[in-house]
Amino acid sequence: FHPGNFLFMPDGRLGLIDFGCCREFDDEEWRFMCDAVQTLRGDPDAYRAVVVRGMAYEDASEVDPRTLELAEAWSAWVNECMHCDGPFDFGRDDYVLRGIDLFGEIGRRRAFRSMPVNTWILRCFVGVRGLCYRLGARVDMNAIHEREGQAFLA
């Protein structure tokens, strides 16, 4: 998300002028996204299986344990805002710095193997979090996830 793609209107509205990060999902990607949403707050083993699948592996036994630990930590960081009761403060330096540190460690380990759709997901999630950080946004992501998750899975 490039900051130049947003217009801050005088009345407080936000104008979006570029939707270049939009895409269609194929059937496998859609199933992956639905499974990720469904397992986000459920069975930890089912969620781990989604994380492993997102890394383009069939089974956790194929993944180096430290790499899997980093992938799970990254996923927990990305989804932390959806486990908060009430508004999540995206403007906290500690939250952003943990994400930067995790991504740096993933890079140092060269642990970037993933389904191609995760390149889009990474750009989307990190871009939105960067924008929310700069705005000092406080958003009730838990409520949005509950509402949108039901529509997403319908």
Side-chain angles (χ1 to χ4, degrees):
F1 288 89
H2 186 282
N5 293 338
F6 298 90
L7 298 174
F8 296 92
M9 311 299 281
D11 64 359
R13 291 179 300 141
L14 179 66
L16 305 174
I17 58 174
D18 181 2
F19 296 94
C21 193
C22 296
R23 67 175 300 225
E24 289 186 39
F25 299 111
D26 65 27
D27 289 343
E28 178 185 358
E29 293 168 340
W30 185 249
R31 280 190 303 277
F32 170 70
M33 296 289 289
C34 288
D35 290 348
V37 168
Q38 286 179 318
T39 62
L40 184 60
R41 291 196 184 102
D43 174 18
D45 291 331
Y47 190 73
R48 175 178 262 199
V50 169
V51 170
V52 168
R53 193 163 105 217
M55 296 171 69
Y57 288 101
E58 296 292 322
D59 187 83
S61 65
E62 300 175 84
V63 186
D64 170 71
R66 178 63 181 139
T67 299
L68 181 54
E69 181 182 309
L70 280 170
E72 289 177 319
W74 175 258
S75 180
W77 178 81
V78 166
N79 293 306
E80 182 177 328
C81 59
M82 290 178 265
H83 294 283
C84 179
D85 291 326
F88 182 81
D89 184 359
F90 285 96
R92 290 184 2 243
D93 288 338
D94 67 304
Y95 174 71
V96 171
L97 291 173
R98 277 189 293 116
I100 291 168
D101 288 346
L102 279 167
F103 198 73
E105 180 64 19
I106 289 167
R108 284 187 290 281
R109 291 187 61 79
R110 302 187 193 290
F112 290 115
R113 178 179 168 151
S114 76
M115 295 173 63
V117 72
N118 281 325
T119 301
W120 180 85
I121 293 169
L122 175 70
R123 180 177 177 202
C124 181
F125 282 157
V126 172
V128 167
R129 275 152 185 77
L131 180 64
C132 288
Y133 171 73
R134 295 285 301 190
L135 291 171
R138 294 176 46 84
V139 181
D140 191 343
M141 293 298 294
N142 187 20
I144 292 170
H145 179 262
E146 288 299 318
R147 184 179 64 245
E148 298 297 322
Q150 295 306 315
F152 187 78
L153 298 172

Short mmCIF file of all heavy atoms in Angstrom, two decimals, residues 69-92:
data_model
loop_
_atom_site.label_atom_id
_atom_site.label_comp_id
_atom_site.label_asym_id
_atom_site.label_seq_id
_atom_site.Cartn_x
_atom_site.Cartn_y
_atom_site.Cartn_z
N GLU A 69 8.45 -22.70 13.87
CA GLU A 69 8.25 -21.82 15.02
C GLU A 69 8.16 -20.35 14.57
O GLU A 69 7.30 -19.60 15.03
CB GLU A 69 9.41 -22.00 16.00
CG GLU A 69 9.33 -21.17 17.24
CD GLU A 69 10.56 -21.39 18.13
OE1 GLU A 69 10.88 -22.56 18.42
OE2 GLU A 69 11.19 -20.38 18.50
N LEU A 70 9.03 -19.96 13.64
CA LEU A 70 8.99 -18.59 13.12
C LEU A 70 7.71 -18.32 12.34
O LEU A 70 7.11 -17.25 12.46
CB LEU A 70 10.20 -18.33 12.22
CG LEU A 70 11.49 -18.00 12.92
CD1 LEU A 70 12.65 -18.00 11.93
CD2 LEU A 70 11.40 -16.66 13.63
N ALA A 71 7.29 -19.30 11.53
CA ALA A 71 6.04 -19.13 10.76
C ALA A 71 4.85 -18.98 11.69
O ALA A 71 3.97 -18.15 11.45
CB ALA A 71 5.84 -20.31 9.81
N GLU A 72 4.83 -19.76 12.75
CA GLU A 72 3.73 -19.65 13.72
C GLU A 72 3.79 -18.32 14.47
O GLU A 72 2.76 -17.70 14.73
CB GLU A 72 3.75 -20.83 14.67
CG GLU A 72 3.33 -22.12 13.99
CD GLU A 72 3.43 -23.33 14.90
OE1 GLU A 72 4.40 -23.45 15.66
OE2 GLU A 72 2.51 -24.16 14.84
N ALA A 73 5.01 -17.86 14.80
CA ALA A 73 5.15 -16.58 15.48
C ALA A 73 4.72 -15.44 14.55
O ALA A 73 4.05 -14.49 14.99
CB ALA A 73 6.60 -16.38 15.94
N TRP A 74 5.07 -15.53 13.27
CA TRP A 74 4.66 -14.51 12.30
C TRP A 74 3.13 -14.49 12.19
O TRP A 74 2.51 -13.44 12.22
CB TRP A 74 5.30 -14.77 10.95
CG TRP A 74 4.82 -13.84 9.90
CD1 TRP A 74 3.90 -14.09 8.92
CD2 TRP A 74 5.20 -12.47 9.72
NE1 TRP A 74 3.71 -12.98 8.15
CE2 TRP A 74 4.49 -11.97 8.61
CE3 TRP A 74 6.08 -11.63 10.39
CZ2 TRP A 74 4.63 -10.66 8.17
CZ3 TRP A 74 6.23 -10.33 9.95
CH2 TRP A 74 5.50 -9.85 8.85
N SER A 75 2.54 -15.67 12.07
CA SER A 75 1.09 -15.77 11.97
C SER A 75 0.42 -15.21 13.22
O SER A 75 -0.58 -14.49 13.14
CB SER A 75 0.68 -17.23 11.76
OG SER A 75 -0.71 -17.34 11.66
N ALA A 76 0.99 -15.50 14.39
CA ALA A 76 0.44 -14.97 15.64
C ALA A 76 0.54 -13.44 15.66
O ALA A 76 -0.39 -12.77 16.10
CB ALA A 76 1.16 -15.57 16.84
N TRP A 77 1.65 -12.89 15.16
CA TRP A 77 1.81 -11.44 15.11
C TRP A 77 0.76 -10.82 14.18
O TRP A 77 0.09 -9.86 14.54
CB TRP A 77 3.22 -11.06 14.65
CG TRP A 77 3.41 -9.59 14.54
CD1 TRP A 77 3.67 -8.72 15.57
CD2 TRP A 77 3.34 -8.79 13.36
NE1 TRP A 77 3.77 -7.43 15.09
CE2 TRP A 77 3.57 -7.45 13.73
CE3 TRP A 77 3.11 -9.08 12.02
CZ2 TRP A 77 3.57 -6.41 12.81
CZ3 TRP A 77 3.11 -8.04 11.10
CH2 TRP A 77 3.33 -6.73 11.50
N VAL A 78 0.61 -11.40 13.00
CA VAL A 78 -0.36 -10.88 12.03
C VAL A 78 -1.77 -10.91 12.61
O VAL A 78 -2.55 -9.98 12.45
CB VAL A 78 -0.30 -11.68 10.71
CG1 VAL A 78 -1.50 -11.40 9.83
CG2 VAL A 78 0.99 -11.39 9.96
N ASN A 79 -2.10 -11.98 13.31
CA ASN A 79 -3.47 -12.18 13.81
C ASN A 79 -3.70 -11.67 15.23
O ASN A 79 -4.81 -11.76 15.74
CB ASN A 79 -3.83 -13.66 13.72
CG ASN A 79 -3.92 -14.12 12.29
OD1 ASN A 79 -4.65 -13.54 11.49
ND2 ASN A 79 -3.15 -15.14 11.94
N GLU A 80 -2.66 -11.13 15.87
CA GLU A 80 -2.79 -10.65 17.25
C GLU A 80 -3.94 -9.66 17.40
O GLU A 80 -4.67 -9.68 18.39
CB GLU A 80 -1.48 -9.98 17.66
CG GLU A 80 -1.44 -9.48 19.07
CD GLU A 80 -0.08 -8.90 19.43
OE1 GLU A 80 0.96 -9.37 18.91
OE2 GLU A 80 -0.06 -7.96 20.24
N CYS A 81 -4.13 -8.81 16.42
CA CYS A 81 -5.18 -7.79 16.49
C CYS A 81 -6.58 -8.39 16.53
O CYS A 81 -7.52 -7.74 16.99
CB CYS A 81 -5.06 -6.81 15.32
SG CYS A 81 -5.20 -7.60 13.70
N MET A 82 -6.72 -9.63 16.08
CA MET A 82 -8.04 -10.26 16.06
C MET A 82 -8.32 -11.04 17.33
O MET A 82 -9.37 -11.62 17.49
CB MET A 82 -8.17 -11.14 14.83
CG MET A 82 -8.27 -10.31 13.57
SD MET A 82 -8.38 -11.26 12.08
CE MET A 82 -6.68 -11.31 11.58
N HIS A 83 -7.37 -11.02 18.25
CA HIS A 83 -7.55 -11.70 19.54
C HIS A 83 -7.69 -10.70 20.69
O HIS A 83 -7.61 -11.07 21.85
CB HIS A 83 -6.37 -12.63 19.82
CG HIS A 83 -6.29 -13.77 18.86
ND1 HIS A 83 -7.09 -14.88 18.94
CD2 HIS A 83 -5.50 -13.97 17.78
CE1 HIS A 83 -6.80 -15.71 17.96
NE2 HIS A 83 -5.84 -15.18 17.24
N CYS A 84 -7.89 -9.46 20.35
CA CYS A 84 -7.97 -8.38 21.34
C CYS A 84 -9.44 -8.04 21.56
O CYS A 84 -10.20 -7.90 20.61
CB CYS A 84 -7.21 -7.17 20.79
SG CYS A 84 -7.23 -5.75 21.85
N ASP A 85 -9.83 -7.90 22.81
CA ASP A 85 -11.18 -7.42 23.13
C ASP A 85 -11.18 -5.91 23.01
O ASP A 85 -10.44 -5.23 23.71
CB ASP A 85 -11.60 -7.86 24.53
CG ASP A 85 -11.82 -9.36 24.62
OD1 ASP A 85 -12.27 -9.95 23.63
OD2 ASP A 85 -11.53 -9.93 25.69
N GLY A 86 -11.98 -5.39 22.12
CA GLY A 86 -12.04 -3.95 21.90
C GLY A 86 -11.00 -3.51 20.88
O GLY A 86 -10.36 -4.33 20.23
N PRO A 87 -10.82 -2.21 20.75
CA PRO A 87 -9.90 -1.69 19.74
C PRO A 87 -8.45 -2.12 19.98
O PRO A 87 -7.97 -2.09 21.11
CB PRO A 87 -10.03 -0.17 19.87
CG PRO A 87 -11.36 0.04 20.51
CD PRO A 87 -11.55 -1.14 21.42
N PHE A 88 -7.81 -2.53 18.91
CA PHE A 88 -6.38 -2.88 18.93
C PHE A 88 -5.60 -1.63 18.53
O PHE A 88 -5.93 -0.97 17.55
CB PHE A 88 -6.09 -4.02 17.96
CG PHE A 88 -4.66 -4.47 17.97
CD1 PHE A 88 -4.21 -5.34 18.95
CD2 PHE A 88 -3.76 -4.01 17.02
CE1 PHE A 88 -2.88 -5.75 18.97
CE2 PHE A 88 -2.45 -4.41 17.03
CZ PHE A 88 -2.00 -5.29 18.01
N ASP A 89 -4.55 -1.31 19.26
CA ASP A 89 -3.75 -0.12 19.00
C ASP A 89 -2.60 -0.47 18.05
O ASP A 89 -1.57 -0.99 18.46
CB ASP A 89 -3.20 0.43 20.32
CG ASP A 89 -2.44 1.73 20.14
OD1 ASP A 89 -2.30 2.21 18.99
OD2 ASP A 89 -1.99 2.26 21.17
N PHE A 90 -2.81 -0.17 16.76
CA PHE A 90 -1.79 -0.44 15.75
C PHE A 90 -0.64 0.55 15.83
O PHE A 90 0.39 0.35 15.20
CB PHE A 90 -2.40 -0.37 14.34
CG PHE A 90 -3.22 -1.57 13.99
CD1 PHE A 90 -4.59 -1.56 14.15
CD2 PHE A 90 -2.62 -2.71 13.49
CE1 PHE A 90 -5.35 -2.67 13.81
CE2 PHE A 90 -3.37 -3.83 13.16
CZ PHE A 90 -4.74 -3.80 13.32
N GLY A 91 -0.79 1.63 16.57
CA GLY A 91 0.24 2.66 16.68
C GLY A 91 1.32 2.37 17.70
O GLY A 91 2.23 3.18 17.88
N ARG A 92 1.24 1.22 18.35
CA ARG A 92 2.25 0.87 19.37
C ARG A 92 3.56 0.48 18.71
O ARG A 92 3.61 -0.41 17.86
CB ARG A 92 1.75 -0.31 20.21
CG ARG A 92 0.60 0.02 21.12
CD ARG A 92 0.19 -1.15 22.02
NE ARG A 92 0.98 -2.35 21.89
CZ ARG A 92 0.48 -3.52 21.47
NH1 ARG A 92 -0.78 -3.65 21.13
NH2 ARG A 92 1.26 -4.57 21.40
#
